[in-house]
Amino acid sequence: MKFIYRNSAIALLLGASIASGSAFAAEPYSWDNVAPVKQPAVSNNNGKTVYFDVSHGGVEGNADWVIDGAFSDFADALVQQGYTVKEYRGVDLNNDGRIRFFDDRINGTTQNEAIITYNAIKEADVLVLAETNRPFTLSEQAALEQFVASGKGIFFIADHYDADRNLNTWDATEVFNGYNRSDLSKYNIGGAYGDWRNPKNANEGWLVENFGIRFRFNAVDYKQGVSGVVASNKTEGITQGVKPILMAAGATLAVVDPTKAKGLVYFASSDNPVKWNHAKDQGLYFGGAAEGPYAAIAKSGAGKAAFIGDSSPIEDATPKYRRQDNGNTKKTYPGWTDSGNAAVLAVNIINWLATPESYQYFDGTNGRISGVATPTPMAVQEFTDPNNGQPWGSPASGYNSWNTDTYKNNSFNAPFGDGQTNPDPDPTPGNTVSVTQALAASQGTPLVVIGKVTAAVNGIYGLDLTDLNNPASHIYVKLESAQRNNFNPQLNPSILNQNIIVTGKRNSYLGAPGIRYVSDIQIAPTALSVTQALATAQGETIELTGRVKSALNDIYALVLEDINDASFTINVKLELSQRNEFSPALNPSILDAQLIIKGVRDNYMSAPGVRQVNSIEVVSSDTTQPNPSGDLSVSDVLALNNGQPVVVAGIITSAINGQYALALGDDNNGSATLYIKLGSSQRDAFSPQLNPNLLGKRLRVEGIKNNYMSHAGLLNVTKLTLLD
């Protein structure tokens, strides 16, 4: 027998596809339990981290302020600056791999994990709080104070008064200020929260007491752009290059203590802002600079803070989630690319917040120019609440903002994803589908798609992926910033007409069918998996790889099974010259060998098959014990780059993410661990949660090094073998 040894990455990169019509019982709250992380290139890494908080809001109503949704342009710009950007969801108190929200104001539960603690956020240099719609507990306020006192920065992004997006009677202006606009007795919450009634005094409240500033309860429109940009020599350089910034229904702030806070952008005397059409009162109280700054900064002690009264000039038009209340698709404003965008201002603010400085206040010392106090920091209109503490709309039938079980599919914190068919939170290259199959998938479905790159889309920001067998079938792929240099045809023309494998979620892009939230792109190996071969058109000449399962039709054929899922098979008709070597009936040693076969896709014996076989090559004849004496240690694998196929041996130390993964410890280094993501067919036998007797046993794992749940791990696991 002639053996040709090839890189086993072919089998690992191209595995079994999702069977048409197959379905799995989805486990609630597992579909979206991995928070996204965006990282800069190693050569551009500035060593600093920005957390975007979603533990207290930012995804309610039409808001979608997540780093892989309508704040993706903002996040990508920070990555270009060298920042690592992470989504912060809370604290996994019960270590089940997911963050659950239970509103403790309503039921007094201790299960709420959507919380902020200092230990959970202390690794960040900057925390972005975007349209927070749930009040902070006293301990959470203390955690934020400790974060700033340690020299870190917070960016508060609010919106107009009554932007109560989850209809719980709170908007971001109230949450940030530390009190509801109403003074009703019900807002003296007590317990963990304390008194949140309106103090009717501009000098009282959490925000002003810590940062010398408060958000107004106004609602103003000025899409032409707020043009009173303060000179950069008075704003720590933050307004350098900043142009007028649009306000599409927003709030201003009031500087109460000018030694702590100062404005960056005001209404100029030539500006003509107006009341927002849906404002609950006059909407615009004073006009001009007396309305207070639209954007501001604060320096109080070692740390810093920054503020803006509208999300519109920062957001982009690529929302990720559905609405929680009714399941409708969100529509966000393309502010990041609007002529009145805050892109320069927002990046400048983050750079300033991320830079520790020794001065304590804007008190005129060390050349630090103080702010200008707002003449009337709390208007009469702000003493009373025209809504008596009621939300600005009525909740949809069956929706309860305090009960996530009522959230609609594909909304943040919902039990299930939209059109969910697989409980695995992460799509893997073992679930490869064609472009045509991807087009038929429901919005939000995790997919791994193979296709041909045929054009750039939206300049450098995307690509057009065409079906390998049907050029008329194509889908748009939105590229993340780190993927554009290698995979956008405008930046890299050599990628045109290459076959690639894209891992992401089915969604719309540029108003057309698309794939977004792309976590991985790989150049497709030449050989198809068995399941990909099954999806090819009859009569097409193909090259595929698989494992010999059995003889077929006596000596005349063989059954080839998929490397990653033996339930997918294809019949291969052997030519006369091939039978002695490759027919299992004549040569039983060929069983379990991995082959590469070139032939024509055609049915054989009334089943999917390959005929007119031109060549057969043996990739490896040792499929039972790959690399038996050369297993890598866990520590060895931790030192490798992501994307490499490995065979590693170690000790099973714990279950991870319930039944979905396990932790593999190093034989000699207890602190070195890998997270091993288990496929659905592997969990019954290898999940420590289902099999506690596995703990402490040694295990060999074949897979591809990659991160799982933001921890070094192995995905695309093709084989697991207990060693003792």
Side-chain angles (χ1 to χ4, degrees), residues 434-436 438-439 449-468 470-479 483-484 486-502 507 509-510 512-516 518 521:
S434 68
V435 169
T436 301
L439 289 168
V449 185
I450 186 169
K452 179 184 290 186
V453 180
T454 53
V457 170
N458 193 20
I460 67 172
Y461 299 103
L463 61 84
D464 195 350
L465 196 68
T466 298
D467 194 282
L468 297 180
N470 181 9
S473 182
H474 67 98
I475 196 166
Y476 289 167
V477 177
K478 181 180 185 292
L479 299 172
Q483 300 158 348
R484 294 168 190 160
N486 291 330
F487 296 101
N488 176 265
Q490 186 171 307
L491 297 175
N492 179 22
S494 66
I495 198 68
L496 277 171
N497 297 317
Q498 290 205 45
N499 296 342
I500 63 172
I501 301 170
V502 179
N507 213 298
Y509 181 50
L510 297 173
I515 302 169
R516 296 178 54 193
V518 174
I521 304 179

Side-chain angles (χ1 to χ4, degrees), residues 30 75 95 98 123 208 213 241 259 294 319 347 371 398 476 528 612 634 666 682:
S30 66
N95 197 33
R98 64 198 64 161
E123 300 305 321
V208 74
I213 197 168
T259 68
Y294 178 30
V347 172
Y476 289 167
L528 301 176
Q612 301 177 40
V634 169
D666 191 278
Q682 299 163 338

Side-chain angles (χ1 to χ4, degrees), residues 226-483:
V226 183
S227 66
V229 181
V230 179
S232 62
N233 64 350
K234 297 181 180 180
T235 64
E236 317 307 312
I238 295 173
T239 54
Q240 182 68 42
V242 173
K243 298 179 180 180
I245 298 173
L246 69 92
M247 177 185 269
T252 61
L253 298 110
V255 175
V256 179
D257 184 347
T259 68
K260 291 183 178 179
K262 58 182 177 182
L264 304 177
V265 182
Y266 289 83
F267 292 122
S269 57
S270 57
D271 291 344
N272 187 30
V274 297
K275 165 189 174 180
W276 179 47
N277 286 339
H278 303 287
K280 290 300 186 287
D281 56 20
Q282 288 88 336
L284 180 70
Y285 302 147
F286 304 99
E291 196 72 20
Y294 178 30
I297 56 173
K299 186 74 172 74
S300 180
K304 301 174 178 179
F307 317 86
I308 190 168
D310 190 9
S311 62
S312 299
I314 296 175
E315 69 196 77
D316 60 63
T318 61
K320 174 181 180 179
Y321 293 105
R322 297 287 185 92
R323 286 182 61 105
Q324 294 170 335
D325 54 349
N326 55 27
N328 291 344
T329 301
K330 297 182 180 184
K331 184 176 182 180
T332 49
Y333 191 81
W336 192 263
T337 54
D338 190 283
S339 58
N341 68 73
V344 172
L345 177 65
V347 172
N348 288 354
I349 281 175
I350 297 296
N351 287 336
W352 180 73
L353 291 172
T355 305
E357 295 179 275
S358 59
Y359 69 94
Q360 302 285 302
Y361 303 102
F362 300 128
D363 55 5
T365 60
N366 301 314
R368 302 295 171 181
I369 298 174
S370 62
V372 176
T374 302
T376 307
M378 198 172 200
V380 172
Q381 295 94 321
E382 299 177 274
F383 291 174
T384 58
D385 176 23
N387 292 346
N388 285 323
Q390 301 307 310
W392 67 329
S394 299
S397 177
Y399 167 72
N400 182 342
S401 65
W402 299 294
N403 182 358
T404 58
D405 288 342
T406 68
Y407 291 5
K408 302 301 182 183
N409 277 12
N410 210 49
S411 65
F412 187 82
N413 263 328
F416 299 104
D418 197 22
Q420 185 181 24
T421 58
N422 192 321
D424 291 347
D426 301 304
T428 70
N431 292 330
T432 311
V433 298
S434 68
V435 169
T436 301
Q437 289 171 314
L439 289 168
S442 301
Q443 295 278 77
T445 302
L447 294 171
V448 181
V449 185
I450 186 169
K452 179 184 290 186
V453 180
T454 53
V457 170
N458 193 20
I460 67 172
Y461 299 103
L463 61 84
D464 195 350
L465 196 68
T466 298
D467 194 282
L468 297 180
N469 303 308
N470 181 9
S473 182
H474 67 98
I475 196 166
Y476 289 167
V477 177
K478 181 180 185 292
L479 299 172
E480 300 295 333
S481 57
Q483 300 158 348

Side-chain angles (χ1 to χ4, degrees), residues 139-202:
S139 64
E140 287 174 324
Q141 290 176 335
L144 296 174
E145 293 167 26
Q146 186 178 358
F147 181 76
V148 173
S150 69
K152 308 299 182 67
I154 302 178
F155 189 13
F156 296 87
I157 301 173
D159 214 298
H160 58 84
Y161 169 68
D162 226 354
D164 177 13
R165 302 193 183 278
N166 59 352
L167 306 179
N168 70 346
T169 79
W170 297 90
D171 64 40
T173 64
E174 297 168 307
V175 173
F176 292 154
N177 284 341
Y179 52 87
N180 196 279
R181 183 170 176 175
S182 172
D183 63 355
L184 292 178
S185 60
K186 70 176 182 178
Y187 292 106
N188 184 3
I189 305 174
Y193 291 88
D195 191 347
W196 279 71
R197 292 175 297 177
N198 190 339
K200 302 184 180 181
N201 185 336

Side-chain angles (χ1 to χ4, degrees), residues 18 37 56 62 93 105 164-165 256 326 681:
I18 300 171
V37 178
H56 282 63
N62 276 327
L93 298 176
R105 291 179 300 119
D164 177 13
R165 302 193 183 278
V256 179
N326 55 27
S681 63

